[in-house]
């Protein structure tokens, strides 16, 4: 991640001084609430209200102008009307303010983008960073700073929240308090005219106090920088994200709401997963996850043990474990040896361990202590359906003690209790103490699944990115030639030439300008051959009757040539027909697709999956951002439903996976290194049996008008 | 045996229709060749001319349509033949195809000049075969006169047996006969028939359209022989469409995108003869099922709606083998309006 050259983001979270421009004595105004929250929150630095009217606010003297403050100012909160913000920003910059939190709204979110850009540009030119506009402020437990116009009394803790939505952020402040989630910080980024999520991650990922980062995102502006920041942050601590705008309608709502554009959800989803981000669908899921991850240690092994007093809830938990790819410890002999002493004879020592409806708090303590002491068990889940055998108060005490024992030994444990009022009270009480106690088995197991998923991600982080050496010079030359001809796509033979340069096998091909040449080329390549029209005016060759397949002799070549020329002339009488491409007719096998594009938001992304003519119908593809590791490539391939085809189904031989992976690596490297290529698609990439390689049958390459501008 | 070479100055004059009508009206056995094919069909590596396939089907000619043409593109003819060898090939082909037949119909290229550079234009064919040349001339009245005058004054027909001219697609036959015919007769043009314009010949079938547009037939393949009389672009809202007069015209084809479920449903509910789905945009499966249930063909094509409309505009409606009513109508028109005895086919 590139740290901003101007100043340290620490000043934003731990400022020595703060000024509130627009501070007010009117208790109904944001200018009052912000000052009040700063003071009530116990901020340890200096506070300077600013208002041309002067006077005092909450017993603090009000400065008429920021320049009147003698002290240096680290952070300013701007709460004045939008038309006056630019002038104020000028004064703040002159004063040497490091961060200006523009709480004021009325900028790009309502179409006033020019003013917003002007403010951000001016601030950056004068060494000041802007947060917002259109935000609710910042809370930072590190400096006991609550510079928001939220409800106040924020519970300090170790979850950091970054939100693009101000209103939702304010609501979350209240909700975290109810759910007993302590915050290390909460920041809204609003319209992100300057400071964005990537800047904040830079601080939060290294801040010891923060154990989990939760982000609510609507649109992403600088995707490549965001990906880099996420990738680094998730190596330090879990990052939970709600990315709204999944649906087309949702994306429109997001755009009109904050002025930011929401990216295509398939790409967003793939990139978040690739970078170890845990994506939540709802605030409730996200809070459950944050609360759990903030205190849960990482399991030492993938084996999970479930202890239950009821069969039904045990089965539900087992189902949930399968869904969330949680491995249940299944060494039946060992389980029997370990748990027989703590399980009634009519119970079960198979995982889930059923200590039966007659279990009391001691039974749970015993079983869970055995699990705690067993090295091969990485995490435990205790399920309790309310019975009359023991009182909820006992349960509460036992669960708390068990939790503390587990915490001390660094092993995760989750509790699920289902029952009436007493149980609900128990849940509330233990939740306040940070004990991971859930009222729903699926919610609990989902959290544990995320913990394992995060652990697997961390284990894979030692992998290096795959890269293919590419001689970009000749590739650029081919692209430049096309651009000089005012053409932003490559002709088939040009695309094939590029494939040859990067070492991807293509069928033997040659271009013929007339029938005699077509016959010569076909004879040289060897029958059977394929013939396709070459014309810059005909992109969809099949639609124009410009393709003939499986030509087995000279007579068939002659007929096909006539058919192609005649059909294409009829299809587009003005088309310039440059000849035909004669190519080796390739053997059929598994038709895959490998594509890459330079996404306007996220930069280079790669796609692989099932290719051929049904690609758009079946949509069995997976995306990743580039570059990516070999393990990530394999994960991407395995994500597609057609992956078993590559392993060989119904007696077929295994396919050449190495060639498939190698093609993905080469295309990923090409899209990253080329300055002009915007899209590449190989469809189909025919993958043959192991050892026989793969062939790029059809290659389309598009050039970027923006990046391809010639000097 | 008569060898009739049918020529035209311009494309779509009605040469093939004339051949079908004359042959039917004559009641004689016919052979057919079209040395320079121009309405080619290419499928499963076979190449043949549409007209040849039609004639072969209608008259149950045993020879394969592929054998009735020598070439379909200048490139092949230039590559394989010169003036002498092409003459030999034409004569050889004519001999093969006329064996045991009463009349050999020889169809020229799509215009009078077509094939001249490879020695296969209609006038060359007439010379090679010593056949009777018959010109089919169609269009509006002025175009017909222009073409006939041009032919009379500027085309060298030396060594050719010009039997006469047949005028086609005339909107008002009585006017033409009264106003223009005397003038033509005066300058020595032998007009052997004036055939009226018949709107029924301008309709084409869904099957023909599917072939020409390389369409994927999604539903109701058994109804592809339906004729299209009107075309509606489904760009308006589905509800709005049902109120449009154009949406109530008979035998109408709707062209719309696969994502326009409202329009497709409106078309299905108002019994459109067929629907072209553009942009290769597959409609939802329930819509496809609905079309199948109602027996309405859905044709999926790759180009967008505008391109499809342009392509359809450029299509020429052709006679089809599976339309006996049209063939019967054509035959009766020829019987009524053409002097068969002057041509020697009565």
């Amino acid at each position: 991640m590139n740290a901003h050259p101007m100043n340290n983001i620490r000043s934003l979270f731990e400022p020595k001084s703060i000024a509130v421009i627009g501070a007010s004595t009117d208790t109904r105004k944001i200018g009052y609430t912000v000052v009040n929250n700063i003071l009530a929150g116990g901020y340890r630095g200096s506070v300077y209200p600013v208002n041309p009217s002067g006077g005092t606010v909450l017993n603090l003297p009000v400065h008429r102008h920021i320049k009147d403050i003698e002290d240096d100012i680290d952070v300013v909160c701007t709460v004045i009307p939008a038309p006056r913000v630019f002038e104020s920003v000028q004064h703040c910059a002159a004063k040497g303010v490091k961060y200006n939190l523009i709480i004021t709204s009325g900028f790009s979110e309502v179409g006033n983008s020019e003013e917003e850009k002007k403010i951000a540009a001016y601030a950056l030119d004068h060494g000041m960073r802007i947060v917002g506009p259109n935000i609710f402020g910042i809370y930072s437990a590190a400096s006991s700073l609550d510079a928001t116009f939220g409800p106040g009394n924020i519970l300090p803790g170790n979850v950091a929240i970054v939100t693009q939505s101000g209103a939702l952020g304010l609501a979350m402040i209240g909700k975290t308090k109810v759910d007993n989630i302590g915050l290390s910080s909460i920041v809204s980024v609003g319209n992100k005219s300057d400071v964005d999520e990537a800047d904040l991650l830079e601080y939060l990922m290294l801040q010891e106090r923060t154990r989990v980062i939760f982000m609510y995102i609507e649109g992403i502006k600088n995707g490549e920088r965001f990906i880099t920041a996420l990738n680094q942050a998730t190596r330090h601590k879990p990052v939970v994200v709600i990315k709204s705008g999944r649906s087309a309608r949702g994306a429109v709502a997001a755009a009109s709401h904050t002025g930011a554009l929401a990216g295509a959800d398939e790409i967003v989803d793939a990139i978040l997963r690739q970078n170890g981000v845990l994506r939540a669908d709802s605030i409730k899921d996200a809070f459950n996850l944050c609360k759990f991850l903030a205190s849960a240690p990482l399991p030492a092994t993938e084996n999970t043990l479930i202890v239950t007093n009821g069969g039904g809830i045990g089965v539900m938990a087992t189902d949930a474990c399968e869904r969330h790819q949680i491995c249940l410890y299944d060494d039946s002999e060992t389980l029997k040896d370990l748990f027989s002493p703590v399980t009634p004879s009519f119970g079960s020592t198979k995982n889930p361990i059923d200590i039966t409806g007659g279990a009391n708090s001691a039974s749970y303590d015993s079983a869970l202590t055995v699990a705690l002491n067993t090295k091969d068990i990485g995490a435990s889940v205790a399920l309790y359906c309310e019975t009359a055998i023991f009182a909820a108060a006992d349960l509460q005490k036992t669960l708390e003690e068990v939790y503390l024992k587990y915490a001390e030994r660094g092993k995760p444990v989750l509790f699920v209790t289902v029952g009436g009022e007493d149980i609900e009270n128990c849940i509330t009480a233990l939740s306040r103490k940070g004990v991971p106690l859930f009222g729903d088995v699926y919610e609990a197991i989902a959290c544990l699944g995320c913990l394992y998923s995060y652990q697997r991600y961390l284990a894979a982080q030692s992998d290096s990115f795959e890269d293919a050496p590419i001689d970009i010079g000749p590739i650029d030359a081919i692209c430049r030639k096309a651009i000089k001809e005012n053409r932003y796509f490559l002709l088939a033979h040009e695309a094939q030439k590029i494939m040859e340069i990067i070492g991807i096998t293509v069928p033997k091909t040659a271009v013929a300008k007339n029938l005699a040449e077509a016959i010569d080329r076909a004879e040289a390549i060897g029958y059977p051959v394929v013939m396709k029209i070459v014309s810059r005016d005909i992109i969809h060759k099949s639609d124009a009757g410009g393709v003939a397949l499986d030509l087995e002799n000279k007579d068939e070549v002659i007929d096909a040539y006539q058919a192609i020329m005649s059909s294409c002339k009829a299809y587009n009488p003005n088309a310039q027909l440059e000849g035909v491409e004669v190519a080796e007719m390739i053997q059929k096998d598994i038709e895959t697709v490998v594509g890459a594009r330079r996404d306007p938001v996220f930069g280079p992304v790669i796609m692989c999956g099932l290719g051929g003519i049904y690609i758009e119908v079946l949509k069995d593809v997976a995306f990743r951002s580039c570059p990516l590791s070999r393990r990530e490539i394999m994960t991407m391939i395995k994500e597609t439903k057609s992956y078993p085809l590559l392993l060989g189904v119904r007696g077929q031989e295994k396919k050449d996976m190495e060639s498939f992976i190698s093609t993905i690596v080469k295309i990923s490297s090409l899209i990253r290194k080329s300055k002009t290529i915007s899209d590449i698609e190989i469809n189909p990439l025919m993958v043959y049996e192991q050892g026989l390689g793969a062939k790029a049958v059809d290659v389309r390459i598009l050039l970027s008008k923006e990046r391809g501008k010639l000097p | 045996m008569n060898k009739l070479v049918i020529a035209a100055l311009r494309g779509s004059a009605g040469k093939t229709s004339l051949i079908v009508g004359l042959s039917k009206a004559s009641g004689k056995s016919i052979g057919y060749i079209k040395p320079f094919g121009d309405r080619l069909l290419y499928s499963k590596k076979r190449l043949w001319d549409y007209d040849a396939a039609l004639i072969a089907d209608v008259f149950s000619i045993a020879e394969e349509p592929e054998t009735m043409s020598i070439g379909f593109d200048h490139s092949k003819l230039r590559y394989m033949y010169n003036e002498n060898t092409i003459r030999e090939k034409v004569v050889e082909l004519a001999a093969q195809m006329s064996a045991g037949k009463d009349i050999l119909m020889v169809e020229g290229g799509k215009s009078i000049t077509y094939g001249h550079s490879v020695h296969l234009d209609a006038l060359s064919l007439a010379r090679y075969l010593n056949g009777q040349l018959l010109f089919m001339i169609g269009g509006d009245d002025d175009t017909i006169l222009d073409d006939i005058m041009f032919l009379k004054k500027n085309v060298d027909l030396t060594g050719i047996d010009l039997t006469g001219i047949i005028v086609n697609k005339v909107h008002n036959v009585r006017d033409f006969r009264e106003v223009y015919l005397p003038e033509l007769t005066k300058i020595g043009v032998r007009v052997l028939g004036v055939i009226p314009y018949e709107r029924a010949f301008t309709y084409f079938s869904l099957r023909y359209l599917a072939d020409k547009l390389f369409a994927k037939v999604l539903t109701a393949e058994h109804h592809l022989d339906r004729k299209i009389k009107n075309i509606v672009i489904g760009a308006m809202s589905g509800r709005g469409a049902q109120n449009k007069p154009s949406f109530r015209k008979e035998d109408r084809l709707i062209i719309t995108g696969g994502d326009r479920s409202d329009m497709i449903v409106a078309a299905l509910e108002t019994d459109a003869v067929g629907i072209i789905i553009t942009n290769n945009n597959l409609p939802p499966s329930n819509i496809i099922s609905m079309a199948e249930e109602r027996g309405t063909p859905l044709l999926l094509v790759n180009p967008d709606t505008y391109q499809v409309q342009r392509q359809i505009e450029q299509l020429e409606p052709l006679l089809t083998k599976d339309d006996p009513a049209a063939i019967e109508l054509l035959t009766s028109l020829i019987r009524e309006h053409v002097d068969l005895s002057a041509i020697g086919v009565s």
Side-chain angles (χ1 to χ4, degrees):
Chain A
M1 186 180 349
N2 298 321
H4 199 278
M6 292 194 310
N7 48 40
N8 192 329
I9 194 84
R10 179 185 279 264
S11 307
L12 175 63
F13 289 88
E14 300 168 39
K16 292 189 177 68
S17 54
I18 185 163
V20 180
I21 296 181
S24 171
T25 52
D26 185 343
T27 55
R28 294 164 303 175
K29 288 196 167 177
I30 290 174
Y32 173 84
T33 310
V34 172
V35 178
N36 186 44
N37 278 347
I38 292 171
L39 297 178
Y43 173 58
R44 293 187 287 271
S46 310
V47 185
Y48 298 101
V50 178
N51 192 311
S53 307
T56 60
V57 173
L58 292 161
N59 298 323
L60 289 175
V62 175
H63 293 77
R64 291 180 189 277
H65 197 284
I66 190 156
K67 70 181 181 195
D68 300 340
I69 303 169
E70 287 180 7
D71 199 0
D72 288 338
I73 300 294
D74 284 343
V75 169
V76 156
C77 286
T78 300
V79 286
I80 55 178
R84 286 166 48 201
V85 169
F86 180 64
E87 188 187 355
S88 169
V89 163
Q90 289 175 308
H91 296 152
C92 291
K95 173 71 183 165
V97 170
K98 290 174 184 166
Y99 282 87
N100 195 331
L101 281 73
I102 302 178
I103 291 174
T104 308
S105 56
F107 294 93
S108 71
E109 81 281 6
V110 291
N112 189 10
S113 300
E114 286 310 311
E115 182 73 1
E116 185 176 302
K117 282 182 193 162
K118 187 172 85 171
I119 289 168
Y122 184 89
L124 282 170
D125 281 349
H126 293 81
M128 181 172 69
R129 306 289 309 268
I130 301 287
V131 185
N134 185 26
I135 60 171
F136 63 69
I138 184 171
Y139 164 76
S140 171
S143 53
S144 302
L145 171 66
D146 179 2
T148 72
F149 58 95
N153 288 324
I154 298 173
L155 188 68
N158 45 23
V159 174
I161 298 179
V162 177
T163 171
Q164 192 172 352
S165 165
L168 201 54
L170 285 174
M172 281 194 282
I173 291 176
K175 178 77 177 150
T176 52
K177 208 166 154 191
V178 170
D179 286 0
N180 204 46
I181 296 174
L183 299 181
S184 61
S185 53
I186 180 162
V187 193
S188 68
V189 287
N191 298 355
K192 295 192 273 195
S193 68
D194 173 17
V195 170
D196 61 11
E197 292 90 348
D199 293 299
L200 303 174
L201 284 173
E202 186 188 325
Y203 171 83
L204 296 172
M205 70 181 178
L206 296 175
Q207 193 201 30
E208 215 165 293
R209 178 189 298 266
T210 297
R211 290 201 62 187
V212 183
I213 301 166
F214 167 44
M215 306 170 87
Y216 170 81
I217 302 167
E218 287 169 357
I220 297 162
K221 281 182 175 172
N222 186 345
E224 284 187 72
R225 184 163 171 264
F226 179 61
I227 290 169
T228 311
L230 269 184
N231 188 274
Q232 291 196 2
T234 51
R235 288 167 193 246
H236 289 89
K237 54 194 67 168
V239 177
V240 178
V241 165
I242 290 183
K243 165 71 178 75
S244 62
R246 279 183 190 245
S247 62
R249 193 169 290 220
V252 171
S256 61
H257 188 213
T258 65
L261 293 172
D265 195 62
E266 287 84 359
I267 294 174
V268 171
D269 198 56
I271 288 172
L272 292 180
R273 245 180 304 129
Q274 182 183 355
N275 289 286
V277 170
L278 304 165
R279 191 169 183 184
D281 285 329
S282 65
I283 299 279
K284 188 183 178 195
D285 287 351
F287 279 9
N288 274 340
L289 202 47
C290 287
K291 196 171 173 184
F292 175 63
L293 294 173
S295 61
L298 288 172
T301 79
E302 289 250 350
N303 292 325
T304 297
L305 185 95
I306 301 172
V307 176
T308 180
N309 68 341
I313 195 169
V315 173
M316 284 170 73
T318 309
D319 289 350
C321 283
E322 191 171 312
R323 186 191 294 177
H324 293 283
Q325 297 173 328
I326 294 171
C327 175
L328 290 179
Y329 187 51
D330 62 356
D331 181 344
S332 53
E333 285 303 311
T334 308
L335 285 168
K336 192 175 173 188
D337 290 347
L338 289 170
F339 290 95
S340 287
V342 295
T343 308
S345 57
F346 52 92
S348 170
T349 57
K350 288 178 183 160
N351 196 0
I353 307 292
D354 188 351
I355 55 176
T356 77
N360 57 24
S361 57
S363 315
Y364 274 97
D365 183 49
S366 304
L368 290 169
T369 304
V370 172
L372 175 63
N373 293 330
T374 304
K375 203 176 158 193
D376 286 345
I377 294 173
S380 301
V381 181
L383 312 175
Y384 172 70
C385 289
E386 188 176 21
T387 65
I389 301 296
F390 67 108
D394 286 346
L395 174 74
Q396 187 175 323
K397 185 167 171 287
T398 303
L399 297 189
E400 190 174 349
E401 284 169 4
V402 169
Y403 169 69
L404 291 173
K405 275 198 282 185
Y406 269 72
E408 195 178 315
R409 302 270 290 275
K411 187 178 278 196
V413 63
L414 296 86
F415 305 103
V416 180
T417 56
V418 183
E421 194 179 345
D422 288 347
I423 292 297
E424 288 301 320
N425 292 338
C426 173
I427 292 174
T428 309
L430 285 179
S431 288
R432 287 214 177 109
K433 295 181 175 177
V435 177
L437 178 56
F438 298 82
D440 180 89
V441 70
Y442 287 103
E443 285 179 8
I445 299 296
C447 286
L448 185 61
C450 284
L451 184 67
Y452 275 122
S453 163
Y454 180 61
Q455 189 193 36
R456 285 180 210 125
Y457 167 76
L458 289 178
Q461 288 317 295
S462 54
D463 297 356
S464 56
F465 292 138
E466 292 287 322
D467 188 34
I470 285 178
D471 183 4
I472 206 73
I475 294 171
D476 277 347
I478 292 170
C479 299
R480 276 201 303 274
K481 179 175 169 285
I483 291 167
K484 268 185 189 163
E485 292 171 10
N486 206 22
R487 185 158 52 82
Y488 288 88
F489 63 92
L490 298 187
L491 297 174
H493 65 278
E494 294 169 331
Q496 283 173 343
K497 182 72 193 161
I498 289 180
M499 292 300 106
E500 283 169 8
I501 292 170
I502 65 172
I504 292 175
T505 310
V506 291
K508 282 184 267 180
T509 58
V511 173
K513 293 201 167 127
N514 53 48
L515 178 58
E517 281 186 15
I519 294 167
D520 286 348
R521 304 286 187 264
E523 307 263 323
I525 287 168
Y527 296 107
V529 294
V530 174
M531 199 185 285
K532 295 175 192 172
I533 191 72
V534 178
S535 171
R536 69 195 63 206
D537 303 312
I538 297 176
I539 305 290
H540 299 290
K541 300 179 180 71
S542 298
D543 292 349
V547 180
L549 305 174
D550 196 23
L551 308 175
E552 293 178 294
N553 52 49
K554 181 179 168 182
D555 288 345
E556 289 183 2
V557 167
I558 292 172
D559 279 356
Y561 186 89
Q562 294 185 90
I564 287 174
M565 285 300 166
S566 180
S567 298
C568 291
K569 281 176 200 166
Y571 179 77
N572 181 355
N574 299 319
Q576 186 187 340
L577 307 183
E578 291 163 46
V580 292
E581 179 192 279
V582 182
E584 158 195 6
M585 174 84 190
I586 65 142
Q587 296 294 315
K588 280 264 191 188
D589 214 313
I590 300 297
E591 293 190 358
T592 64
V593 61
V594 175
R597 73 180 311 239
R598 191 169 280 281
D599 186 89
V601 175
F602 296 107
V605 291
I606 188 140
M607 173 191 85
C608 77
L610 185 67
I613 57 172
Y614 299 119
I615 179 171
E616 285 177 30
V617 178
L618 299 175
K619 293 180 179 143
D620 184 22
V621 292
F623 293 88
R624 289 293 184 276
S625 70
C626 305
L628 66 176
S629 67
R630 189 183 173 82
R631 189 195 296 248
E632 200 58 47
I633 293 173
M634 272 314 296
T635 312
M636 174 168 66
I637 295 170
K638 285 178 181 171
E639 231 169 65
T640 62
K641 292 188 186 75
S642 46
Y643 169 60
L645 297 180
L646 293 164
L647 299 177
V649 289
R650 297 181 75 90
Q652 285 185 346
E653 291 292 317
K654 190 178 175 195
K655 305 303 167 190
D656 201 326
M657 191 69 81
E658 203 46 52
S659 295
F660 189 40
I661 293 171
S662 157
T663 306
I664 293 171
V665 171
K666 285 168 183 169
I667 294 299
S668 158
S669 301
L670 176 60
I671 194 76
R672 281 192 300 118
K673 292 173 185 177
S674 168
K675 290 188 170 61
T676 44
I677 294 175
S678 66
D679 294 77
I680 311 164
E681 187 177 293
I682 305 175
N683 184 25
L685 171 77
M686 205 67 79
V687 182
Y688 296 107
E689 289 175 7
Q690 197 158 10
L692 298 180
K695 270 185 188 169
V697 180
D698 202 355
V699 184
R700 283 187 194 179
I701 296 183
L702 304 181
L703 307 176
S704 161
K705 284 194 176 172
E706 210 38 53
R707 294 166 67 90
K709 276 178 187 162
L710 293 173
Chain B
M1 188 197 59
N2 284 358
K3 281 181 278 187
L4 277 179
V5 178
I6 314 296
L9 268 79
R10 306 167 188 268
S12 302
K15 297 188 301 295
T16 311
S17 297
L18 178 64
I19 290 170
V20 171
L22 279 179
S23 303
K24 279 274 180 190
S26 73
K28 295 182 176 176
S29 66
I30 66 147
Y32 172 86
I33 60 172
K34 186 174 181 183
F36 198 172
D38 55 13
R39 282 188 181 134
L40 89 172
L41 294 172
Y42 181 71
S43 175
K44 296 179 181 167
K45 297 191 282 181
R46 287 173 63 212
L47 185 57
W48 67 96
D49 186 273
Y50 176 89
D51 298 334
L54 173 74
I55 303 276
D57 265 320
V58 171
F59 296 99
S60 304
I61 296 174
E63 287 83 1
E64 293 291 335
E66 294 103 297
T67 61
M68 295 175 183
S69 299
I70 299 171
F72 296 85
D73 190 70
H74 292 69
S75 56
K76 176 193 173 182
L77 297 163
R78 207 170 286 131
Y79 174 73
M80 293 184 71
Y81 302 98
N82 59 33
E83 188 166 6
N84 290 331
T85 55
I86 200 86
R87 175 195 291 263
E88 287 165 15
K89 182 72 184 172
V90 170
V91 171
E92 182 194 338
L93 182 65
Q96 278 172 9
M97 296 296 170
S98 61
K101 308 283 167 51
D102 299 325
I103 307 169
L104 176 68
M105 295 288 187
V106 181
E107 185 161 348
K110 57 188 165 194
S111 69
I112 191 168
T113 60
Y114 190 70
H116 185 69
S117 68
V118 289
H119 321 291
L120 272 187
D121 57 286
L123 300 189
S124 298
L125 294 176
R127 286 194 180 100
Y128 300 159
L129 299 172
N130 293 320
Q132 295 170 244
L133 183 64
L134 201 56
F135 267 103
M136 185 68 155
I137 292 178
D140 62 60
D141 293 352
D142 292 334
T143 306
I144 289 168
L145 281 184
D146 285 346
D147 284 355
I148 293 175
M149 293 301 195
F150 180 83
L151 183 64
K152 177 72 187 167
K153 292 187 178 171
N154 296 300
V155 179
D156 178 12
L157 297 172
T158 313
I160 292 176
D161 174 10
L162 176 62
T163 301
I165 287 167
I166 295 173
V167 181
N168 193 18
K169 302 179 189 174
V170 176
H171 283 269
N172 190 330
V173 172
R174 203 173 67 183
D175 266 12
F176 191 89
R177 285 191 176 279
E178 285 176 3
V179 178
Y180 301 114
L181 210 51
E183 215 175 305
L184 293 171
T185 309
K186 206 178 346 176
I187 60 165
V189 174
R190 197 175 176 212
V191 176
L192 303 178
V194 180
I195 304 171
Y197 174 83
E198 179 54 62
R199 190 169 168 75
F201 294 138
T202 64
Y203 305 143
F204 40 68
S205 69
L206 282 168
R207 186 184 306 283
Y208 177 71
L209 201 59
D211 281 348
K212 286 291 174 188
L213 298 178
F214 299 99
K216 199 180 290 177
V217 181
L218 299 178
T219 56
E221 202 158 355
H222 53 292
H223 282 147
L224 286 184
D225 290 325
R226 287 176 176 172
K227 282 282 170 57
I228 301 158
K229 294 184 181 170
N230 293 287
I231 294 174
V232 179
I233 306 297
M236 66 293 271
S237 73
R239 186 174 293 175
Q242 298 198 37
N243 300 324
K244 294 253 175 199
S246 59
F247 226 74
R248 290 194 289 273
K249 285 184 179 172
E250 62 168 351
D251 297 333
R252 74 207 162 276
L253 172 82
I254 311 296
I255 307 173
T256 193
D259 55 348
R260 289 295 313 277
S261 295
D262 59 334
M263 176 56 60
I264 300 172
V265 169
L268 291 173
E269 285 178 347
T270 53
D271 294 324
V273 74
I275 304 168
I276 294 188
I277 307 292
T278 58
N279 275 329
N280 210 13
N281 203 340
L282 203 64
S285 49
N286 59 327
I287 300 277
I288 295 176
S289 302
M290 185 179 175
E292 187 66 61
E293 281 165 21
R294 298 185 76 105
T296 307
L298 293 183
L299 310 181
L300 182 70
V301 297
N302 202 29
D304 62 34
T305 302
Y306 173 72
Q307 287 172 314
V308 170
Q309 188 203 4
R310 290 284 307 274
Q311 280 177 264
I312 293 177
E313 276 172 7
Q314 286 163 9
L315 288 181
E316 48 175 343
L318 299 177
L319 207 55
T320 57
K321 62 176 181 180
D322 37 28
D323 192 355
I327 293 173
E328 190 48 49
L329 175 63
L330 178 65
T331 308
S332 67
L333 284 174
I334 299 277
R335 265 200 204 106
E336 191 181 340
H337 296 283
V338 177
D339 184 352
L340 299 179
S341 60
I343 302 170
V345 296
S346 59

